Amino acid sequence: VPFAVGWLVWRQRQCLAAQPLRAGWLGLPLMLLALFSYFVGYKANSYYFGFAAIQLFVAGAVLWIFGWSWMRLLAFPWLILGMMWPLVFLEDRLGFPLRLISVRGIEWLASAAHLPVIAQGTALLSASKGEAVGSWMQLQVEGPCSGMNTLFALMFIAALFSHHTQPTNFRRWLLFTLSIPLAILGNMVRIGVLILGCRWLGQEVAVGHEQNDMTTYHLLAGLLVFVVAFLGLQTVSSWMHRCWPRKPKPLPTEASRSASPNLKPSLP
């Protein structure tokens, strides 16, 4: 994230250099508020107050030293800094529901494709006729397989992608919001590929045992999440450009140029 923020600031170096340096005195109380937030976090042993302190201190420093014109140009890189926050509470609250959504979705797709797969809690088991349940696959969707890690990464990628491909804030926010269902879809595709691998190659090759490290097949299946999500973002972005094309600005006509107050009338 810091490298991406540095690149975003570097891209606007010419626009920033053209802005006047006018100190904004609101930055000083904002920096003091950041220091107070850090003190509260230190006393309460809550690192989220420390993260908020860093975020507020950066905004206050930009306002105090450079002014509002710089802060307006650096608003998006400043928001991207928030992607560094480790949102552990979201992992605890959203991890299990995401696992259930992925497992139930895979069970529905397997039923539609007539694949012998059933769900029990957050586990997927093979249920072929004439064979014991779980004979060739016992896939337990644990916390790391919930898709939360990839969700945070995809939200970061979607923020950068939407900012540079869409012209309006509404379209940027819409495309950014779609990164959440696309992450869930990509995780479902990954689990489906693991199921096919267990059927064709065996569970030891496709997934491995709990005592073993992640297999190469399992690692490559995890990369499909980003492939599916990025293809989805690109597809939606192309659709937006087709449905909502930008209207070109009309060129000034001869009448408007002649009526312009900047043009001095010629003397007789």
Side-chain angles (χ1 to χ4, degrees):
V1 172
F3 293 104
V5 171
W7 174 71
L8 290 172
V9 176
W10 176 257
R11 289 183 73 250
Q12 300 192 73
R13 62 190 184 278
Q14 295 181 353
C15 295
L16 292 172
Q19 300 299 319
L21 296 180
R22 295 177 180 174
W25 297 108
L26 183 60
L28 181 58
L30 197 59
M31 295 170 68
L32 294 176
L33 178 62
L35 295 177
F36 178 74
S37 176
Y38 182 83
F39 175 77
V40 171
Y42 174 76
K43 289 296 184 180
N45 196 22
S46 176
Y47 48 79
Y48 285 106
F49 284 95
F51 300 147
I54 296 175
Q55 197 89 9
L56 291 174
F57 193 87
V58 171
V62 173
L63 283 174
W64 191 28
I65 300 174
F66 301 104
W68 282 102
S69 59
W70 280 59
M71 190 61 206
R72 283 193 296 268
L73 292 175
L74 297 178
F76 179 71
W78 179 75
L79 291 175
I80 290 295
L81 281 178
M83 295 289 181
M84 293 193 300
W85 293 35
L87 304 178
V88 182
F89 68 95
L90 288 181
E91 295 182 7
D92 298 335
R93 295 184 179 182
L94 298 181
F96 184 74
L98 285 178
R99 289 160 59 188
L100 286 180
I101 292 175
S102 300
V103 170
R104 298 306 177 188
I106 286 295
E107 184 183 29
W108 181 82
L109 291 176
S111 177
H114 302 287
L115 294 176
V117 176
I118 60 173
Q120 291 184 358
T122 58
L124 293 167
L125 307 174
S126 60
S128 301
K129 293 183 179 179
E131 298 179 357
V133 175
S135 59
W136 53 270
M137 185 193 68
Q138 297 181 10
L139 186 60
Q140 181 68 35
V141 182
E142 300 288 350
C145 299
S146 63
M148 287 299 299
N149 294 332
T150 54
L151 175 61
F152 292 147
L154 286 173
M155 289 175 67
F156 172 67
I157 295 174
L160 296 177
F161 182 81
S162 60
H163 181 76
H164 290 90
T165 57
Q166 300 303 319
T168 62
N169 290 330
F170 172 76
R171 289 166 58 171
R172 291 169 181 169
W173 278 105
L174 179 60
L175 189 59
F176 172 74
T177 307
L178 289 176
S179 63
I180 300 176
L182 287 175
I184 298 175
L185 177 61
N187 194 41
M188 292 174 58
V189 171
R190 180 181 68 87
I191 297 175
V193 170
L194 290 177
I195 293 175
L196 295 178
C198 292
R199 184 60 173 173
W200 296 337
L201 305 175
Q203 186 164 345
E204 294 185 2
V205 177
V207 181
H209 294 292
E210 295 181 357
Q211 297 81 5
N212 299 335
D213 295 332
M214 182 183 298
T215 62
T216 303
Y217 185 90
H218 197 172
L219 177 62
L220 294 177
L223 297 178
L224 283 176
V225 180
F226 295 95
V227 174
V228 172
F230 189 77
L231 289 177
L233 289 174
Q234 183 62 50
T235 302
V236 176
S237 177
S238 301
W239 176 80
M240 286 182 176
H241 286 300
R242 288 196 302 268
C243 296
W244 300 326
R246 295 190 65 180
K247 296 181 179 179
K249 295 182 179 180
L251 296 176
T253 60
E254 293 293 336
S256 63
R257 283 197 293 264
S258 61
S260 176
N262 295 327
L263 296 180
K264 297 182 179 180
S266 58
L267 296 175

